[in-house]
Amino acid sequence: MKSKIVVALAGNPNSGKTTIFNNLTGARQHVGNYPGVTVERKEGYRQHGGMGMTIVDLPGTYSLTAYSAEELIARNFIVDEKPDVVVDIVDSSNLERNLYLAVQLMEIGAPLVLAFNMSDEARARGYEFDLETLSRFFGAPIITTVGHKTEGMDALLDAVMSVATKGSHPQTDNSIHYGNEIESEIIKIQALLGKNCPLADRYGTRWLALKLLENDKDVRAKVGSPDINEQVEKSVAHIQKMVGDSPETSIAGSRYGFISGACQEAVRSTIEIRHTISDRIDAIVTNRVLGIPIFLGLMYLVFSLTFTLGEPPMGWIENLFGWLGNVIKGWWSEGSESLLKSLLIDGIIGGVGGVIVFLPNILLLFLAIAILEDSGYMARAAFIMDRVMHKIGLHGKSFIPMLVGFGCSVPAIMATRTLENRRDRLTTMLVIPLMSCGARLPIYALIIPAFFPQAWYGPMLWIIYVIGILLAVVGAKLLRSTLFKGESVPFVMELPPYRMPTVKGILTHMWERGWLYLKKAGTIILGISVLMWVMTTFPGLPESEAARFEKDRQAIRTIMGDKKADTEEKDERLVVIDNREAAESLRRSIAGRIGRTLEPVLAPMGFDWKIGTALLGAFAAKEVFVAQMGIIYSVGEVDEGSETLRDKLKTNYNPLIGFCIMVFCLISAPCMATIAIVGRESGSWKWAFLQLTGLTVLAYLLTVLVFQVGSLLGIG
């Protein structure tokens, strides 16, 4: 008898697989990634009856055909790593759909245990199962469980031990008859596989033949024999001609026929089948006419929750870091120019505060998403939007992160974790920054009133948002046609019944994602914040220049004295001198020199070195552009003197340049937090670099086009 075994948990999404994994392993879990991909690999450990079990939670999948990275990973683990037992978690309230995976596991010859989960919901719907008969059909013991109540866990572990030590439940045959036409073609392909394919001993010739007929690209690539591929093409054409359907469709139909026959034999309804509460709700929320307006209304509520209710705690966090900055500032005498003080306050405190200030948004966003997911609505949202998103090569789930992107790109990119397919996830990540985030609003609010009449305020803002949406649509279509080219993944999603989310569940999901944000983004952003501080601080003003500004300040203090009536005017004049000194220091800094060096490149867009320097600062956070322009034009506090800043901009630039600034800020490289999150969430910094350079080049080309054409036409 083995002392240690490996147990794989398989199952459809929404079958309760992760809940059972958590029940079985508790805190004894390890989370990593499968090699070469960002799909999570979860392992846990359990002792039962003197046997040690390594339990692997495989990605949720509807089948073992390699349509997505998740399905390929699940299949390869079962086929290649050969776990001692595979436990298929089945939603027993939706039995026929869920048993499709069980049929494929049965065909592959996996040592199988079926866990009929959500058995309480099945009973509530009036279903009774003849488990012994079903067990015979599938060649596997069947255990009824209720994951969220931890019912049936010991019985499940007992069944796992039994299969691991004694083998699968006895059955006569684990193959399905696919009809004479398909079976004859399977035999032809098997004959060639037995002669020419070294994989035959490992996988079995019948299973390989089925996968080849199903056009499984992974298996076809592994087989690679011209003779076998030629026979497969002939067989596919023959089946298509004789049966009238593709082999994939016919094979799937036979499997469902087997499942239907098994259920007719062994499943009985004790009450009349009637519309459940879920069905009645779905009649409204998935309605072709009402579905999208209801979805958009709910997303608006999520948006409001995330970015309206999040404002007060954001203010508290900002005040906390402001207080902390003042405490540290008090360690030095007034007027001190200590570099250490600047580093601590502007670099470290400012950097960490800039990250943590988003935490309320992150927590509220994922609280709302967790409620929608756990209640069962998010599956409906993806289903509703699929018709629209499919036209650009994505599916409904991609719409949700893109919508969140109007508030902030960082949580939007994290929200792409709901996408199972890697191509869809990367495509969505790369276009999300084209959704105008809240950080761009201060730029629009500065530029539009400065250059356009009041009647155009609304239309200009609408135009900028629409430009971003259209570019995102075109970009997604282009990416899916080039870098992420491939057949669209079939979007098959089981619509689970509506459930009341548990407080523990939604709070756990919310905090896990919030902590991930702090842990992964915080350290990176802190480092880049310090780098930006260095670039805008050094080399600083020459002593002669600093002395000149100090002389001007001293002159004002001498002339105006300590008269109370003149205190406000004196302070205002001193602020102007401080900002002029800051602007001159910025001009001479590394960032300023880069801006002046880039001026010949910026000129075709109509930008000078001042705009270029502010755009460099905007890489830290888009709204920094406004503050940087305020410093450059020495107008004091930007919030208090925004009208003066607008006047200065209007004096120095024209409306065409103002529009070009908005276009460039809309399209160009997103903030450093977004770049950091893309690098982490994609699992490769090459995608972050592609986004950084690709969007910046696109922004440059389009802005040059707009400015040059506008100038040629005399606009602005």
Side-chain angles (χ1 to χ4, degrees):
M1 177 177 175
K2 294 182 178 180
S3 60
K4 293 182 180 179
I5 61 171
V6 176
V7 181
L9 296 189
N12 291 187
N14 302 308
S15 64
K17 177 170 60 66
T18 299
T19 301
I20 288 182
F21 174 74
N22 291 335
N23 290 343
L24 296 179
T25 61
R28 297 176 297 280
Q29 297 180 11
H30 172 73
V31 179
N33 280 353
Y34 287 91
V37 294
T38 57
V39 179
E40 283 187 346
R41 175 171 179 150
K42 293 183 179 179
E43 289 187 1
Y45 307 94
R46 176 70 182 248
Q47 283 282 339
H48 183 77
M51 181 179 287
M53 300 179 182
T54 298
I55 301 175
V56 181
D57 184 15
L58 297 178
T61 176
Y62 292 101
S63 76
L64 294 182
T65 299
Y67 287 123
S68 69
E70 288 76 7
E71 288 171 329
L72 187 59
I73 286 166
R75 184 178 80 192
N76 286 350
F77 185 89
I78 294 168
V79 173
D80 296 334
E81 300 194 32
K82 299 191 182 304
D84 296 282
V85 181
V86 177
V87 178
D88 183 15
I89 311 299
V90 174
D91 176 0
S92 57
S93 64
N94 290 284
L95 197 59
E96 292 196 28
R97 170 74 71 183
N98 277 247
L99 284 175
Y100 189 78
L101 177 62
V103 167
Q104 293 185 290
L105 290 168
M106 176 187 76
E107 286 187 303
I108 211 170
L112 189 61
V113 173
L114 297 180
F116 275 24
N117 197 34
M118 304 179 191
S119 56
D120 55 340
E121 291 185 13
R123 285 193 296 270
R125 292 188 176 198
Y127 295 123
E128 282 187 354
F129 306 121
D130 182 343
L131 297 181
E132 185 177 346
T133 300
L134 281 173
S135 180
R136 241 185 357 261
F137 276 123
F138 288 91
I142 300 175
I143 307 300
T144 57
T145 62
V146 182
H148 69 278
K149 296 179 181 177
T150 68
E151 293 180 7
M153 298 300 109
D154 287 338
L156 182 60
L157 291 170
D158 289 340
V160 167
M161 284 185 61
S162 176
V163 169
T165 55
K166 301 176 185 176
S168 298
H169 196 76
Q171 66 174 53
T172 54
D173 187 13
N174 67 347
S175 61
I176 294 171
H177 191 274
Y178 290 103
N180 292 334
E181 295 294 342
I182 293 178
E183 289 292 340
S184 63
E185 299 305 318
I186 289 175
I187 291 170
K188 293 176 185 176
I189 297 170
Q190 279 185 280
L192 289 175
L193 286 168
K195 297 176 183 177
N196 303 326
C197 184
L199 297 175
D201 292 339
R202 185 176 182 183
Y203 297 109
T205 56
R206 182 177 176 83
W207 185 81
L208 285 173
L210 279 169
K211 290 293 119 182
L212 290 170
L213 286 175
E214 288 181 287
N215 195 30
D216 188 297
K217 287 184 169 48
D218 179 66
V219 171
R220 294 198 73 164
K222 286 178 177 176
V223 171
S225 165
D227 292 341
I228 295 173
N229 285 333
E230 183 181 353
Q231 178 58 53
V232 170
E233 295 300 330
K234 289 180 180 177
S235 296
V236 167
H238 177 76
I239 293 169
Q240 182 85 40
K241 180 180 178 181
M242 299 302 295
V243 179
D245 270 323
S246 66
E248 301 102 297
T249 303
S250 298
I251 289 169
S254 296
R255 287 175 180 150
Y256 277 116
F258 172 83
I259 294 167
S260 178
C263 289
Q264 286 182 19
E265 289 288 328
V267 180
R268 186 170 69 92
S269 178
T270 59
I271 57 175
E272 181 184 355
I273 299 297
R274 61 182 184 273
H275 287 294
T276 63
I277 294 175
S278 290
D279 296 328
R280 291 196 291 272
I281 296 174
D282 280 343
I284 299 172
V285 301
T286 63
N287 183 276
R288 293 183 66 88
V289 176
L290 299 176
I292 290 180
I294 291 172
F295 169 69
L296 294 177
L298 283 173
M299 289 300 101
Y300 175 78
L301 291 177
V302 170
F303 183 88
S304 298
L305 174 68
T306 303
F307 299 102
T308 302
L309 297 184
E311 189 172 345
M314 284 178 66
W316 302 335
I317 294 174
E318 287 176 337
N319 291 337
L320 173 63
F321 279 92
W323 170 82
L324 183 58
N326 288 330
V327 169
I328 295 175
K329 189 176 181 181
W331 296 350
W332 283 267
S333 59
E334 188 174 352
S336 170
E337 298 299 328
S338 167
L339 284 176
L340 179 59
K341 181 182 80 170
S342 178
L343 172 62
L344 290 174
I345 295 173
D346 301 327
I348 296 177
I349 298 297
V352 174
V355 174
I356 297 180
V357 74
F358 286 111
L359 185 59
N361 300 101
I362 298 290
L363 295 178
L364 287 168
L365 170 72
F366 285 116
L367 173 67
I369 288 179
I371 291 171
L372 292 176
E373 284 180 339
D374 291 1
S375 66
Y377 179 76
M378 201 60 88
R380 275 83 178 171
F383 172 77
I384 291 164
M385 293 307 301
D386 182 56
R387 291 192 298 271
V388 178
M389 299 300 291
H390 186 71
K391 296 183 184 299
I392 62 172
L394 298 173
H395 61 58
K397 280 190 175 183
S398 293
F399 185 77
I400 297 163
M402 292 172 74
L403 184 68
V404 174
F406 284 115
C408 179
S409 296
V410 173
I413 287 165
M414 293 180 69
T416 62
R417 285 184 158 230
T418 60
L419 304 176
E420 292 88 359
N421 179 267
R422 179 165 171 77
R423 288 197 301 265
D424 290 341
R425 190 177 179 204
L426 287 172
T427 302
T428 307
M429 271 187 208
L430 294 178
V431 302
I432 275 174
L434 292 168
M435 305 291 108
S436 278
C437 66
R440 292 180 173 97
L441 279 176
I443 301 174
Y444 304 154
L446 172 70
I447 298 296
I448 292 174
F451 295 106
F452 301 98
Q454 188 170 357
W456 276 89
Y457 287 3
M460 287 307 303
L461 189 61
W462 181 82
I463 287 170
I464 287 294
Y465 272 79
V466 169
I467 289 172
I469 294 168
L470 292 177
L471 286 174
V473 169
V474 173
K477 185 70 174 175
L478 183 64
L479 287 169
R480 289 296 274 117
S481 303
T482 54
L483 289 178
F484 308 122
K485 190 175 182 180
E487 294 181 9
S488 296
V489 174
F491 181 59
V492 181
M493 174 169 281
E494 192 72 44
L495 297 184
Y498 291 98
R499 302 184 183 94
M500 183 62 67
T502 64
V503 173
K504 181 181 178 181
I506 60 176
L507 291 180
T508 299
H509 293 157
M510 176 187 73
W511 177 244
E512 281 177 352
R513 291 161 175 174
W515 173 244
L516 187 68
Y517 169 75
L518 287 177
K519 185 171 67 173
K520 289 187 174 180
T523 52
I524 296 171
I525 294 174
L526 173 59
I528 298 178
S529 296
V530 173
L531 177 62
M532 291 298 298
W533 171 83
V534 171
M535 291 180 65
T536 56
T537 301
F538 292 100
L541 288 176
E543 290 186 11
S544 58
E545 287 291 312
R548 181 171 64 83
F549 284 110
E550 183 57 35
K551 184 178 178 181
D552 291 344
R553 277 190 286 265
Q554 191 59 44
I556 288 175
R557 294 189 188 102
T558 301
I559 293 170
M560 305 194 73
D562 296 326
K563 295 179 182 179
K564 190 173 182 180
D566 295 335
T567 298
E568 185 175 342
E569 183 182 353
K570 180 177 70 174
D571 289 343
E572 288 177 357
R573 292 189 180 187
L574 289 173
V575 166
V576 170
I577 293 174
D578 290 342
N579 281 329
R580 284 176 179 165
E581 182 179 17
E584 181 61 22
S585 177
L586 178 65
R587 191 180 75 87
R588 293 172 180 265
S589 70
I590 297 171
R593 292 178 182 182
I594 293 173
R596 284 187 291 154
T597 302
L598 292 175
E599 197 163 29
V601 179
L602 300 172
M605 296 188 290
F607 299 167
D608 58 15
W609 76 268
K610 298 175 181 178
I611 296 174
T613 303
L615 290 173
L616 284 178
F619 176 63
K622 288 293 184 183
E623 59 267 43
V624 170
F625 176 88
V626 178
Q628 291 280 63
M629 292 300 288
I631 291 173
I632 290 168
Y633 281 101
S634 307
V635 295
E637 293 294 323
V638 175
D639 289 339
E640 296 176 9
S642 56
E643 288 298 325
T644 307
L645 177 57
R646 288 171 185 157
D647 290 340
K648 290 284 187 179
L649 293 177
K650 192 172 184 178
T651 301
N652 286 273
Y653 309 108
N654 60 43
L656 178 59
I657 294 176
F659 183 74
C660 287
I661 290 172
M662 291 194 294
V663 170
F664 189 84
C665 289
L666 163 68
I667 306 170
S668 63
C671 66
M672 59 185 183
T674 301
I675 296 296
I677 287 295
V678 169
R680 291 291 188 174
E681 292 292 309
S682 67
S684 173
W685 288 99
K686 72 177 181 180
W687 299 118
F689 180 75
L690 174 67
Q691 185 181 67
L692 174 67
T693 54
L695 289 178
T696 302
V697 169
L698 178 64
Y700 182 80
L701 293 176
L702 288 182
T703 307
V704 168
L705 179 66
V706 170
F707 180 74
Q708 295 300 327
V709 172
S711 298
L712 189 64
L713 297 176
I715 298 173

